[in-house]
Amino acid sequence: MSLNNSSNVFLDSGPSNTSRFQVNVINESHENSAVVNDNRDPPHYEETSFGDEAQNRLRISFRPGNQECYDNFLQNGETAKTDASFHAYDSHTNTYYLQTFGHNTMDAVPKIEYYRNTGSVSGPKVNRPSLLEIHEQLAKNVTVAPGSADRVANGDGMPGEEQAENKEEEDKTGVVKFGWVKGVLVRCMLNIWGVMLFIRLSWIVGEAGIGLGVVIIGLSVVVTTLTGISMSAICTNGVVRGGGAYYLISRSLGPEFGGSIGLIFAFANAVAVAMYVVGFAETVVDLLKESDSMMVDPTNDIRIIGSITVVILLGISVAGMEWEAKAQVILLIILLIAIANFFIGTVIPSNNEKKSRGFFNYQASIFAENFGPSFTKGEGFFSVFAIFFPAATGILAGANISGDLEDPQDAIPRGTMLAIFITTVAYIGVAICVAACVVRDATGSMNDTIISGVNCNGSAACGLGYDFSRCRHEPCQYGLMNNFQVMSMVSGFGPLITAGIFSATLSSALASLVSAPKVFQALCKDNIFKGLQFFAKGYGKNNEPLRGYFLTFVIAMAFILIAELNTIAPIISNFFLASYALINFSCFHASYAKSPGWRPAYGIYNMWVSLFGAILCCAVMFVINWWAAVITYVIELFLYIYVTYKKPDVNWGSSTQALSYVSALDNALELTTVEDHVKNFRPQCIVLTGGPMTRPALLDITHAFTKNSGLCICCEVFVGPRKLCVKEMNSGMAKKQAWLIKNKIKAFYAAVAADCFRDGVRSLLQASGLGRMKPNTLVIGYKKNWRKAPLTEIENYVGIIHDAFDFEIGVVIVRISQGFDISQVLQVQDELEKLEQERLALEATIKDNEQEEGSGGIRGLFKKAGKLNITKPTPKKDSGINTIQSMHVGEFNQKLVEASTQFKKKQGKGTMDVWWLFDDGGLTLLIPYILTLRKKWKDCKLRIYVGGKINRIEEEKIAMASLLSKFRIKFADIHIIGDINIKPNKESWKVFEEMIEPYRLHESCKDLTTAEKLKRETPWKITDAELDAVKEKSYRQVRLNELLQEHSRAANLIVLSLPVARKGSISDLLYMAWLEILTKNLPPVLLVRGNHKNVLTFYS
């Protein structure tokens, strides 16, 4: 870092502008002087800051040679304080803001705290200034308090946040975290080097030979390596928390896959503890047999030793991860000594006893003889592979304690892959060495030597002086095929191999005993299975899952006491394999979803190789044991269905979500390439509900004919000052969409801010939807208060109907007797809830005060006297609450609440009357037909009413029945109405005239000048000329209401053709009067008008 106050450093020597960000280029001469030291240095750049004074300038030169200075400038990732670059009021010592911009600003520099999750254990989450705050501050030119902008910009935030950060650091003291060696490498090596290395590997290479034996090891390693690569990619795609395989799978594929595999993976680890402990106990019991020191009998001795062992292991685990890690290191040292002991033994010259048992040191003839396979009866390549494969597992031992690693993103890939490499080399080395030293069959008798002159027939043992030919006809106890203790015989010191067996079994048991509770705790913390929340609690600095430890102990103890693990062992192996398969599939799925968030730092992976690894894991499951594989899949499927049904409230940004988006996008794009067809028409509705919770009945009836079949968009228009409207709109978007989801309404929420209601709706009609999924029907509630509403509201209401027709969008107007808007009811409910919360809080405070006052004797008495003034007014406040509550209850409109839920109820047996008066393409008929398919409306029968001539009623009835049958629409009855066009009775007409009387101009009763003046002043009024021109249409609306009263008064729902007002001919108020008189005093009415394009067809 170089500080230079001279002004000749910069090309621009003029006065600085404190409101601009400037980057100045360094003089060429200055650059050249810097390059003298090293011609390969890249050109350096300067950031310059212009303060209020010209001499306060800071220059930072980024050169390789200046790295030390730069490191001194940056301390712990924070910018260090430099007096020349800050104002006097910069007094915060935690973080400082480079005055790069030359003035205080709310704008924040990039900082890790902004990207943390809330509640992050690595540090506090800090909110950067919102775009609105930055935008509004600049627009208003609000002065920022000295120093505050720097704090916000650097993420210091509120003072409380700084205290929280300090507290977080205090809490971290004493937490044990492991590096990649002790945390991952050691654990994986110990788990992979199981008891199989010492007591089964010799048999495997004896059966399969050196060639196929290496192939078996190689195939197993391919599975684990592919899984390790996939796991490495997932681990390096973000911060990894505790939970191991469960965490990786759940965050990649979602809670459904993660929850199902997490539960069985934790159970598998718990049972694996029993398996390894029983393996240890069996070895101890064999030693007891040799020394004739049996306690009871072999089975019970295994139970006794196993129970004692698991109690000791539990004690080590509960003592803390640090003790457990030390124990693992000791066990690894023992294991390494045992393996080294074997290799040393192979070069120690064999004695006669060992030769009689088949050990001849390294011999080319033995290597050649053992290179090919020699499967015994009932064995084959896959059966031998199934026995060996569990020995290659254990690669998740490090990942399972991911929460206890310092840097899981680095430790898991490095430790796991290195462990796979080291253990693979050891397996192949041991297999080749033992097969090059020991023959397949040996008698163990030192008398079976070769008599001179005998033909050996290519037998390696024969060529080395021993005759083991009788092993072909009778069982022998020694050699690779018969003796499981070959490695003890070959080794330099046999008891070390026994110690190695102890180390392998105990380390694997200890790793599983730690893994199971850690994975289970992570699963329980996510609350995917509600009943398991009890086990989520952690204790101590390391958040140890003590409850999980004891649960694992109980499961392990139960299976140790059963002592029949041969049956369940294949299922456990398949549980682990299922985890491997899902890890591979997670990597493939995340890559295939092409989410921009999939950016693993570990680049050595391929999506198709991961998919191959997943398929390979599934195939190996069936190779090992087909019925165990079936059981595993059934359990997984059951848990997957359960979690899917419960729908846990989590959002981890899984690849399943990403792929759903990609699929939806692809389908939407593909849909645009296909022309619309009448057979696939479905109502796709824009519903002007405002907030969806404010007009639930309107939304319910629309949802009834769009659910599972069409698009439904709940729309709200915010009218008013743009700033307030946009703020209110943005703040409520997520809440209102969440309300729709919570109420299981399959609809979207959309909102716009506009200068007037009509402009907003016009924008929605034009811009809503995507591709072919665009609205074709507008659904609005009937404006019940039109006679009291301002004229502009009526103009907007009728105007949006005209706009819909202009855009060739159908219109549905819904009218119910009580109206739709229940916003006042919701407001009252919110107020009551707040008051209730205040009352409960007040009661709790009073109770606490009383307890505190009553518990202190004389001291409490003085406290009571001191607090008397505080507690005395309480009853008044309580009575006030009751008064307010009773007032609001009195205002409750019960009928409105009941009306708002009327379409949620089952509609019982009744009729749905369809008055299909005008052919609009069939929408008037299609909507009621769709309604009859719903459970709530299925008991309602369709009655069809159409207009006709009195002298052709039967013919027209037959023609309509024929048309409906071709449309395949079932109906209960058809009525032909022949007297629609007759005049209504005088009483009905008088009601209509009284309705429109306040809005008439009556220009015919005035002189021409006065009439013209009135037209100019009140152009919205109904003129006599207009009324005379459309008198027949007015008669029809009044007459239709009479007919509706006569025929459909008892219907559950009336669907009626909506009259169309010709633009420029029918005034808004007259049109509203038509709608009013048409639907007056009727059951719920749907006024429907399609866009006059066919939505029904009888062609196949």
Side-chain angles (χ1 to χ4, degrees):
M1 180 186 71
S2 62
L3 294 176
N4 196 325
N5 292 332
S6 62
S7 59
N8 59 5
V9 174
F10 310 106
L11 287 178
D12 183 7
S13 59
S16 60
N17 185 349
T18 59
S19 64
R20 295 181 61 195
F21 171 58
Q22 300 181 10
V23 177
N24 294 285
V25 183
I26 306 302
N27 289 321
E28 287 294 327
S29 60
H30 190 74
E31 271 192 15
N32 293 337
S33 66
V35 177
V36 171
N37 295 330
D38 187 354
N39 292 329
R40 293 172 298 174
D41 282 358
H44 64 277
Y45 301 93
E46 280 190 346
E47 282 192 355
T48 60
S49 166
F50 301 94
D52 294 333
E53 297 180 4
Q55 67 269 22
N56 288 337
R57 294 178 178 179
L58 173 67
R59 185 181 68 178
I60 306 172
S61 298
F62 297 94
R63 302 189 188 92
N66 279 354
Q67 185 62 43
E68 184 178 352
C69 294
Y70 179 65
D71 290 339
N72 291 333
F73 184 78
L74 293 178
Q75 299 174 358
N76 299 323
E78 305 289 355
T79 312
K81 184 176 181 180
T82 306
D83 293 336
S85 63
F86 294 96
H87 295 283
Y89 55 76
D90 289 315
S91 57
H92 306 287
T93 57
N94 184 22
T95 57
Y96 291 92
Y97 181 51
L98 285 173
Q99 295 292 308
T100 309
F101 300 91
H103 64 283
N104 288 328
T105 174
M106 287 286 288
D107 231 337
V109 294
K111 200 173 179 71
I112 190 172
E113 284 81 359
Y114 299 136
Y115 296 92
R116 287 194 177 113
N117 286 334
T118 304
S120 171
V121 296
S122 58
K125 157 75 173 174
V126 178
N127 294 323
R128 71 177 62 82
S130 69
L131 184 60
L132 184 64
E133 289 171 341
I134 295 171
H135 188 220
E136 290 300 326
Q137 290 285 357
L138 289 176
K140 286 186 173 183
N141 196 22
V142 175
T143 304
V144 183
S148 63
D150 294 329
R151 296 201 65 206
V152 175
N154 284 282
D156 294 346
M158 300 300 292
E161 291 174 351
E162 187 175 344
Q163 294 174 6
E165 185 174 1
N166 295 335
K167 185 179 179 182
E168 189 73 35
E169 292 299 324
E170 289 174 7
D171 291 343
K172 284 184 180 180
T173 56
V175 175
V176 179
K177 295 289 185 180
F178 303 111
W180 71 274
V181 176
K182 190 184 287 189
V184 181
L185 180 64
V186 170
R187 293 173 185 278
C188 288
M189 288 171 63
L190 283 170
N191 236 25
I192 296 171
W193 278 333
V195 71
M196 194 75 68
L197 174 67
F198 297 103
I199 63 176
R200 284 292 186 274
L201 190 57
S202 57
W203 175 86
I204 287 166
V205 78
E207 288 282 345
I210 295 173
L212 286 181
V214 172
V215 170
I216 286 172
I217 295 172
L219 184 58
S220 303
V221 171
V222 166
V223 175
T224 55
T225 303
L226 293 180
T227 305
I229 290 172
S230 298
M231 182 173 65
S232 300
I234 298 172
C235 285
T236 57
N237 191 52
V239 177
V240 177
R241 302 297 183 204
Y246 159 73
Y247 185 91
L248 299 179
I249 294 170
S250 62
R251 267 50 176 186
S252 295
L253 292 178
E256 296 83 8
F257 282 106
S260 59
I261 202 64
L263 199 60
I264 65 174
F265 185 74
F267 176 76
N269 273 290
V271 178
V273 175
M275 290 173 59
Y276 294 127
V277 168
V278 167
F280 167 78
E282 285 178 348
T283 308
V284 175
V285 168
D286 288 342
L287 294 175
L288 293 176
K289 282 182 183 178
E290 292 177 6
S291 60
D292 197 23
S293 302
M294 297 290 294
M295 290 180 285
V296 185
D297 56 69
T299 302
N300 285 313
D301 281 6
I302 289 173
R303 289 170 177 163
I304 293 169
I305 295 168
S307 300
I308 295 171
T309 304
V310 79
V311 170
I312 295 172
L313 293 177
L314 177 66
I316 295 173
S317 301
V318 171
M321 290 295 294
E322 194 171 6
W323 285 95
E324 187 266 349
K326 290 177 180 177
Q328 293 280 25
V329 172
I330 294 171
L331 292 172
L332 178 63
I333 293 171
I334 297 171
L335 195 57
L336 290 173
I337 292 172
I339 294 172
N341 176 50
F342 163 76
F343 285 112
I344 293 170
T346 59
V347 296
I348 297 175
S350 178
N351 55 33
N352 289 334
E353 182 183 0
K354 289 186 177 181
K355 286 181 179 180
S356 68
R357 296 182 178 185
F359 174 52
F360 296 93
N361 296 110
Y362 292 104
Q363 301 292 335
S365 57
I366 296 177
F367 182 90
E369 183 179 75
N370 289 343
F371 190 82
S374 179
F375 294 111
T376 56
K377 186 178 180 181
E379 300 294 346
F381 177 82
F382 288 110
S383 64
V384 175
F385 172 79
I387 291 170
F388 172 78
F389 182 80
T393 60
I395 62 172
L396 296 179
N400 287 339
I401 63 159
S402 54
D404 296 294
L405 300 175
E406 287 180 359
D407 184 6
Q409 291 177 276
D410 175 68
I412 293 174
R414 185 189 297 187
T416 303
M417 300 309 292
L418 186 57
I420 292 173
F421 175 75
I422 294 173
T423 53
T424 302
V425 171
Y427 272 128
I428 293 176
V430 170
I432 293 175
C433 290
V434 76
C437 298
V438 184
V439 296
R440 281 192 167 101
D441 296 295
T443 60
S445 174
M446 289 184 286
N447 297 324
D448 290 337
T449 54
I450 295 295
I451 303 170
S452 59
V454 174
N455 186 8
C456 290
N457 293 325
S459 171
C462 182
L464 295 170
Y466 280 81
D467 181 15
F468 299 142
S469 57
R470 63 189 174 96
C471 291
R472 300 173 186 171
H473 312 292
E474 60 184 64
C476 293
Q477 296 183 356
Y478 298 98
L480 295 175
M481 309 278 279
N482 310 302
N483 183 14
F484 291 152
Q485 303 299 328
V486 166
M487 289 190 67
S488 294
M489 177 190 69
V490 172
S491 66
F493 184 61
L496 278 178
I497 298 299
T498 303
I501 294 173
F502 288 171
S503 174
T505 52
L506 291 178
S507 63
S508 297
L510 194 56
S512 297
L513 185 58
V514 170
S515 297
K518 295 282 185 182
V519 173
F520 193 58
Q521 182 188 33
L523 176 68
C524 297
K525 276 184 176 179
D526 289 335
N527 204 21
I528 292 176
F529 300 97
K530 302 290 185 184
L532 303 179
Q533 185 68 19
F534 172 79
F535 296 99
K537 184 175 176 58
Y539 297 86
K541 296 290 184 181
N542 267 53
N543 197 33
E544 295 289 347
L546 297 184
R547 296 174 179 178
Y549 279 130
F550 285 104
L551 178 64
T552 304
F553 169 77
V554 170
I555 295 172
M557 186 67 80
F559 281 98
I560 289 170
L561 296 177
I562 292 171
E564 289 292 335
L565 294 177
N566 289 338
T567 303
I568 201 168
I571 300 177
I572 302 306
S573 296
N574 274 330
F575 280 0
F576 287 122
L577 270 170
S579 304
Y580 294 177
L582 278 179
I583 287 174
N584 281 297
F585 184 72
S586 298
C587 184
F588 162 76
H589 201 267
S591 303
Y592 185 74
K594 299 173 184 175
S595 172
W598 173 248
R599 303 184 300 274
Y602 188 85
I604 312 171
Y605 75 97
N606 181 274
M607 59 184 289
W608 301 111
V609 172
S610 296
L611 179 61
F612 173 73
I615 295 170
L616 198 59
C617 289
C618 295
V620 170
M621 289 174 69
F622 283 94
V623 167
I624 291 177
N625 193 303
W626 69 266
W627 58 263
V630 171
I631 291 174
T632 303
Y633 284 129
V634 169
I635 294 173
E636 269 194 58
L637 182 63
F638 171 76
L639 291 174
Y640 179 89
I641 293 171
Y642 173 82
V643 177
T644 304
Y645 175 75
K646 289 294 183 180
K647 292 182 180 177
D649 185 20
V650 294
N651 181 13
W652 295 322
S654 67
S655 59
T656 307
Q657 295 173 338
L659 192 62
S660 297
Y661 174 83
V662 171
S663 299
L665 186 60
D666 289 342
N667 290 334
L669 290 171
E670 187 177 351
L671 202 59
T672 59
T673 63
V674 182
E675 289 294 328
D676 288 332
H677 194 281
V678 63
K679 287 195 295 184
N680 293 323
F681 176 87
R682 58 200 67 218
Q684 302 193 121
C685 300
I686 274 187
V687 196
L688 298 184
T689 57
M693 62 284 291
T694 59
R695 292 175 176 82
L698 181 61
L699 182 56
D700 290 337
I701 189 64
T702 308
H703 189 242
F705 58 82
T706 59
K707 182 182 178 182
N708 297 329
S709 63
L711 178 70
C712 182
I713 305 176
C714 301
C715 295
E716 185 171 9
V717 178
F718 290 88
V719 179
R722 185 175 184 81
K723 176 185 172 183
L724 296 177
C725 288
V726 171
K727 185 177 180 180
E728 183 182 357
M729 179 178 71
N730 291 340
S731 63
M733 292 283 281
K735 177 184 176 183
K736 289 165 184 175
Q737 184 65 55
W739 185 89
L740 291 171
I741 295 170
K742 181 181 177 182
N743 287 273
K744 298 180 180 179
I745 296 173
K746 296 183 178 181
F748 300 96
Y749 172 77
V752 293
D755 295 331
C756 72
F757 181 69
R758 183 176 180 181
D759 287 345
V761 176
R762 189 185 289 126
S763 299
L764 289 167
L765 291 174
Q766 294 177 89
S768 296
L770 185 68
R772 296 289 179 198
M773 294 182 293
K774 290 185 71 68
N776 53 32
T777 306
L778 171 68
V779 181
I780 56 177
Y782 177 69
K783 190 169 184 60
K784 188 180 177 184
N785 66 337
W786 65 275
R787 281 182 277 188
K788 298 178 182 178
L791 181 63
T792 53
E793 288 188 12
I794 300 172
E795 289 176 350
N796 284 332
Y797 184 82
V798 178
I800 63 174
I801 298 174
H802 289 308
D803 292 338
F805 290 147
D806 288 341
F807 299 137
E808 294 188 340
I809 291 176
V811 175
V812 177
I813 300 177
V814 188
R815 179 174 185 178
I816 58 176
S817 58
Q818 297 296 323
F820 293 105
D821 191 356
I822 63 167
S823 55
Q824 291 183 349
V825 176
L826 296 176
Q827 187 177 354
V828 170
Q829 289 178 346
D830 288 342
E831 289 177 3
L832 291 177
E833 287 178 5
K834 289 177 182 177
L835 290 171
E836 181 66 15
Q837 289 174 0
E838 289 178 6
R839 187 182 66 81
L840 293 174
L842 186 62
E843 288 179 355
T845 304
I846 294 171
K847 188 175 181 181
D848 291 343
N849 288 340
E850 288 176 351
Q851 289 177 352
E852 186 179 341
E853 291 164 1
S855 61
I858 297 174
R859 186 182 298 174
L861 189 62
F862 283 107
K863 285 184 178 180
K864 187 173 182 181
K867 292 182 179 179
L868 193 60
N869 294 332
I870 297 174
T871 56
K872 193 172 181 180
T874 299
K876 289 185 179 180
K877 187 170 184 181
D878 199 21
S879 63
I881 291 173
N882 292 330
T883 305
I884 296 171
Q885 187 171 351
S886 61
M887 285 167 55
H888 282 302
V889 169
E891 296 171 2
F892 230 83
N893 191 331
Q894 193 62 32
K895 289 184 179 180
L896 184 58
V897 174
E898 290 176 359
S900 69
T901 61
Q902 62 179 305
F903 296 126
K904 293 183 185 293
K905 303 171 185 175
K906 188 174 176 60
Q907 296 300 311
K909 291 185 177 180
T911 63
M912 194 182 303
D913 291 357
V914 182
W915 290 70
W916 194 16
L917 304 178
F918 311 108
D919 195 332
D920 58 352
L923 186 64
T924 308
L925 188 61
L926 181 62
I927 287 177
Y929 167 74
I930 295 174
L931 286 174
T932 58
L933 302 178
R934 309 303 185 199
K935 287 183 179 180
K936 293 171 183 173
W937 295 90
K938 66 178 182 178
D939 293 333
C940 293
K941 305 296 183 183
L942 282 184
R943 295 194 303 187
I944 311 298
Y945 292 83
V946 293
K949 297 179 180 178
I950 295 178
N951 57 353
R952 288 181 52 83
I953 288 180
E954 288 302 320
E955 292 87 341
E956 292 187 4
K957 189 173 183 178
I958 293 171
M960 179 55 62
S962 174
L963 179 61
L964 293 175
S965 63
K966 286 183 178 180
F967 285 149
R968 302 169 303 284
I969 292 178
K970 295 181 180 179
F971 57 91
D973 201 358
I974 296 176
H975 297 270
I976 307 297
I977 308 297
D979 53 352
I980 291 178
N981 290 324
I982 65 173
K983 286 185 179 182
N985 61 50
K986 292 181 180 179
E987 290 79 8
S988 300
W989 181 250
K990 185 178 179 181
V991 170
F992 177 74
E993 286 186 324
E994 289 174 354
M995 185 185 301
I996 63 174
E997 180 60 32
Y999 314 110
R1000 292 186 64 180
L1001 191 63
H1002 289 295
E1003 77 279 8
S1004 58
C1005 302
K1006 300 177 177 62
D1007 61 81
L1008 186 61
T1009 305
T1010 306
E1012 290 298 327
K1013 182 182 178 182
L1014 288 173
K1015 284 182 183 180
R1016 287 194 301 270
E1017 292 175 352
T1018 55
W1020 47 269
K1021 284 199 171 185
I1022 305 170
T1023 64
D1024 294 339
E1026 176 192 358
L1027 199 58
D1028 291 339
V1030 295
K1031 197 166 190 177
E1032 294 298 325
K1033 289 185 178 180
S1034 299
Y1035 281 155
R1036 186 192 303 151
Q1037 314 312 324
V1038 180
R1039 175 59 182 158
L1040 278 173
N1041 182 260
E1042 292 177 350
L1043 293 170
L1044 288 164
Q1045 298 282 354
E1046 179 183 346
H1047 295 280
S1048 300
R1049 186 65 187 268
N1052 295 54
L1053 181 70
I1054 299 173
V1055 182
L1056 175 64
S1057 291
L1058 173 69
V1060 176
R1062 193 177 296 276
K1063 287 195 297 184
S1065 301
I1066 309 296
S1067 61
D1068 297 338
L1069 289 167
L1070 179 59
Y1071 185 63
M1072 291 304 300
W1074 283 359
L1075 300 183
E1076 175 71 25
I1077 198 64
L1078 182 61
T1079 57
K1080 190 177 177 65
N1081 298 328
L1082 289 173
V1085 178
L1086 266 63
L1087 292 166
V1088 181
R1089 174 68 69 157
N1091 62 0
H1092 285 242
K1093 293 181 181 178
N1094 288 348
V1095 302
L1096 295 172
T1097 182
F1098 44 78
Y1099 295 107
S1100 58

